[in-house]
Amino acid sequence: MKHFNPQVEKMTSFIVMDVLERANELQKQGIDIIHLEVGEPDFDVPSCVTEAAKIAYERHFTHYTHSLGDPELRQEIAAFYQREYGVTVDTDCIVVTSGSSPSILLVLMLLCDTNSEVILSNPGYACYRNFVLAAQANPVLVPLSEEKGLQYDIETIRQYVTPRTAAVFINSPMNPTGMLLDESFMKEIASLEVPIISDEIYHGLVYEGRAHSILEYTDQAFVLNGFSKRFAMTGLRLGYLIAPKSCMRALQKLQQNLFICASSIAQQAGIAALRLAEPDVERMKQLYDERRRYMISRLREIGFEIKVEPQGAFYVFANARKFTVDSYRFAFDILEHAHVGITPGVDFGTGGEGYVRFSYANSLENIKEGLDRISLYLARHGSL
C-alpha cells in the first residue's frame, strides 16, 4: 500500500496494550507476571449478570434489538440516572452501544469535520486523541499540573476555545489520575457555549467525594457510560451514550450503519446489573479502596511521589522523575527484569512523561508482591 489515511498515520499505539501483550508473551514462556498495567477489574461479573445472560441464551434472545437498544434496558438506564443524580433522562435520548468506545466514535463523528478541534486534557486517556483523529478532527491538548491538583482549569480551557472547537472532553474520575472534577468546575464547564462530552465510565468507583454527572447542570451535553468498570463486565462490551434529543436521529443513522445494535445477550445482562448488582459494586468498591490506600502508602515508601491522591477509578498516577526521564523505557525495563507490568505515563500524552500509572485492579496479595519486586529492582538498577 502506498498511501494510508494521514489521520491514521498520526495515531499512536495504545501503549498499555503493548505492555500487556509483551507481558502475555513472557507468561507463555513460564515467567510469573504481576499485572499492574491494565485497567480491567479483576473481579468476575456479579452472579445476577451471569444468570441473566444464561437465561437470555436459553430463551433465544439472540437476534437484533432496536438500533438504539432494548427499550427495557434504556428504561433501566434512565431510572439509574434518576436514582443516582436526580436527573430525568428521556429513554429516546439513549443509544446503547457495544462498550463505551463506539459511543465516543458516534459522538465525535456527529460533531466533527476536517476543520474541527476537540479539547482534551494532557495527560488524559490515551485513546481520546486517536478517536478525534479517526473523526478527521484535531486534538487540542490542555496541560494539567500537580500544582493545580491535576485538575482542569476553566479559565485555561476558555483560552483554548476557538470558532473551530467542536467539543470539550471531560472525564471524572479521570484516567490516568483518578481525580474527580469538582462541582464548581462542572457548573462552569456546562455554561460554555461549546458541546461537552462527559465520560462517566468510572462512576460508582469513587472513594473520596462524589462524582457529578454533567446532566445535573445541562441537558445539552453528551454522556458516555457503560458497564465495564462499575460492574466488571469488560468482555460483555456494553455501553451507552446519552445525547440531546435534537441529535438522536443523526446518531441513530450512524449506529444503524456502523454497528446495527449492541449484543442482545449483553443487553439482558445489563438490565440485571442495573436492577440487582449494586451490593456487588459496593463490595468491589470496598476492596478497591483498601488496595488504593495500600498502594499509595507503599509507592511513597519506595520513593515515588504522589502529590495528589486519586479519589476514584482504580489507578495511581505516580511521579517517577526520581528514577527516570523516559517512562516508556522504564516501564518495559521493569517488565523485563522485575516481571511487573506498569503503564508508562507518556501513553497519556506529553504531560504524562515522567509519570507511571499503577492499576490496583488486582488482588492485594499481587499488588504487595508486585511493588516488592519493583522496590528490589530499583535497589539493584537505580535510575534509568
Side-chain angles (χ1 to χ4, degrees), residues 133-383:
L133 292 169
Q136 303 298 308
N138 300 300
V140 174
L141 304 180
V142 176
L144 308 182
S145 67
E146 285 184 338
E147 290 69 34
K148 292 186 176 180
L150 293 172
Q151 289 272 5
Y152 260 140
D153 176 73
I154 191 67
E155 295 307 322
T156 304
I157 288 176
R158 285 195 175 101
Q159 293 171 20
Y160 281 80
V161 172
T162 74
R164 294 185 301 278
T165 302
V168 178
F169 233 113
I170 63 175
N171 175 210
S172 176
M174 299 180 78
N175 180 7
T177 65
M179 298 306 299
L180 285 173
L181 297 174
D182 63 37
E183 186 170 17
S184 62
F185 173 84
M186 298 290 277
K187 289 178 179 177
E188 290 172 320
I189 197 77
S191 68
L192 280 184
E193 295 183 1
V194 175
I196 305 301
I197 305 171
S198 178
D199 187 346
E200 302 180 359
I201 192 68
Y202 291 102
H203 281 211
L205 303 180
V206 175
Y207 321 105
E208 296 180 17
R210 174 176 174 258
H212 291 277
S213 173
I214 192 66
L215 297 180
E216 295 174 50
Y217 313 105
T218 177
D219 60 1
Q220 293 302 299
F222 297 84
V223 167
L224 310 169
N225 209 330
F227 295 77
S228 292
K229 312 300 184 182
R230 185 185 190 115
F231 298 107
M233 291 169 57
T234 51
L236 277 73
R237 308 311 305 136
L238 188 64
Y240 53 90
L241 168 65
I242 302 172
K245 197 159 194 173
S246 60
C247 301
M248 288 305 297
R249 182 54 182 159
L251 287 168
Q252 185 177 19
K253 287 190 290 185
L254 286 168
Q255 167 84 335
Q256 289 172 337
N257 283 279
L258 295 178
F259 307 112
I260 301 180
C261 68
S263 158
S264 56
I265 300 296
Q267 291 188 62
Q268 291 298 307
I271 293 168
L274 288 169
R275 286 178 179 169
L276 303 170
E278 277 309 310
D280 299 274
V281 174
E282 286 302 310
R283 175 181 57 83
M284 290 186 281
K285 188 168 77 170
Q286 289 175 12
L287 291 170
Y288 282 136
D289 192 28
E290 181 184 3
R291 300 168 184 180
R292 177 184 72 104
R293 288 181 276 109
Y294 174 82
M295 182 175 275
I296 291 169
S297 175
R298 184 74 177 105
L299 286 172
R300 284 172 169 159
E301 286 177 8
I302 293 170
F304 291 92
E305 288 189 19
I306 304 166
K307 293 182 179 177
V308 185
E309 294 187 1
Q311 299 162 287
F314 34 61
Y315 309 114
V316 178
F317 199 54
N319 189 322
R321 293 187 179 119
K322 176 180 177 180
F323 306 115
T324 187
V325 294
D326 185 342
S327 63
Y328 184 94
R329 185 181 168 203
F330 183 64
F332 275 95
D333 206 60
I334 285 176
L335 178 60
E336 297 293 336
H337 294 97
H339 303 148
V340 182
I342 62 174
T343 308
V346 72
D347 197 18
F348 307 101
T350 55
E353 185 55 279
Y355 294 80
V356 287
R357 190 193 73 176
F358 296 86
S359 168
Y360 46 92
N362 204 331
S363 69
L364 190 57
E365 179 184 7
N366 283 339
I367 290 169
K368 289 178 178 179
E369 171 65 19
L371 297 184
D372 285 347
R373 291 184 189 183
I374 291 173
S375 179
L376 183 60
Y377 163 89
L378 291 172
R380 290 175 174 172
H381 294 264
S383 59

Side-chain angles (χ1 to χ4, degrees), residues 91-149:
T91 57
D92 290 335
C93 293
I94 301 168
V95 52
V96 178
T97 54
S98 300
S100 62
S101 294
S103 295
I104 300 173
L105 186 60
L106 289 176
V107 70
L108 289 174
M109 290 186 72
L110 176 74
L111 296 176
C112 296
D113 59 33
T114 53
N115 296 314
S116 296
E117 297 176 346
V118 178
I119 293 175
L120 310 170
S121 66
N122 182 18
Y125 177 51
C127 297
Y128 292 154
R129 302 188 305 276
N130 292 326
F131 271 110
V132 170
L133 292 169
Q136 303 298 308
N138 300 300
V140 174
L141 304 180
V142 176
L144 308 182
S145 67
E146 285 184 338
E147 290 69 34
K148 292 186 176 180

Side-chain angles (χ1 to χ4, degrees), residues 47-58:
S47 58
C48 62
V49 171
T50 303
E51 188 62 25
K54 287 179 180 177
I55 292 171
Y57 272 115
E58 290 168 358

